[in-house]
């Protein structure tokens, strides 16, 4: 609820603050493209994995791998560089 509301505000203002307002629409669209594709492909890929293996185990392993990969990417991105 509250997190998605904040994300909506940040997603709308961050491109303008970071890159300026000259190409706001193009930059905002390019930034939202991967998210929209993932939301569209996720249910299809999950259904495909369940149908191919007739069980949920494979889907759960794929979701676990995605979550661990996302956490690792966050930790690598959040590292402080020491001079």
């Amino acid at each position: 609820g509250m997190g998605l509301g904040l994300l909506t505000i940040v997603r709308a203002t961050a491109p303008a603050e970071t890159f300026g307002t000259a190409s706001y629409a193009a930059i905002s669209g390019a930034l939202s493209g991967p998210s929209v594709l993932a939301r569209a492909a996720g249910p299809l890929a999950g259904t495909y994995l369940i149908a191919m293996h007739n069980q949920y185990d494979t889907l759960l392993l794929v979701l676990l791998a995605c979550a661990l990969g996302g956490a690792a990417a966050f930790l690598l991105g959040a590292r402080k560089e020491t001079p």
Side-chain angles (χ1 to χ4, degrees):
M2 190 166 61
L4 289 177
L6 182 61
L7 183 64
T8 302
I9 294 169
V10 170
R11 187 179 293 144
T13 58
E17 290 293 322
T18 306
F19 303 110
T21 57
S23 299
Y24 175 79
I27 293 170
S28 182
L31 290 173
S32 68
S35 174
V36 171
L37 289 175
R39 288 183 199 182
L44 295 173
T47 303
Y48 176 76
L49 285 172
I50 292 170
M52 293 304 295
H53 297 282
N54 293 323
Q55 58 185 357
Y56 291 98
D57 294 347
T58 305
L59 175 61
L60 292 175
L61 289 174
V62 169
L63 292 174
L64 177 64
C66 289
L68 291 175
F74 173 78
L75 291 174
L76 286 173
R79 280 192 315 186
K80 290 185 178 180
E81 293 185 22
T82 55

